[in-house]
Amino acid sequence: MQQYGTDWIVEELVASACGDRHDARTRHVFTQALYGLVRQAQSEQLLALRADAEKAIGALAAATQRRRTRAMLRRIARDASSGQRSLQFERDDKKGQGA
């Protein structure tokens, strides 16, 4: 089975574009230009993957932060409604009035 790797594709492009009519220097320059394009495409692809990963992680982190904030607000509301209904001195006054 023949592999169609980058080296093979670059050589085929150089052969089809230059053929036999150009000298070795022209072929070498064209080959290196194509390899430069390949490296550029790889680096752009890597940057795009990193950006997508950061977006995904950021969205997950934001959702986690929202859940934590909602839970904290629920705890604050629960604590406020259960233990803060009357002040200590108000409770003492009510005990003294009833006795």
Side-chain angles (χ1 to χ4, degrees), residues 15-59:
S16 65
C18 294
D20 293 333
R21 61 179 187 245
H22 294 288
D23 61 345
R25 182 179 183 279
T26 304
R27 293 174 67 86
H28 177 74
V29 169
F30 189 57
T31 301
Q32 294 307 310
L34 288 174
Y35 279 122
L37 286 173
V38 169
R39 285 189 296 273
Q40 179 69 27
Q42 287 173 338
S43 66
E44 287 175 355
Q45 183 182 24
L46 183 60
L47 286 174
L49 287 172
R50 285 182 182 167
D52 290 344
E54 287 176 7
K55 268 189 216 176
I57 291 170

Side-chain angles (χ1 to χ4, degrees), residues 58-73:
L60 291 174
T64 302
Q65 185 63 35
R66 283 192 299 272
R67 280 194 299 274
R68 287 181 183 166
T69 302
R70 280 190 220 117
M72 184 174 55
L73 290 173

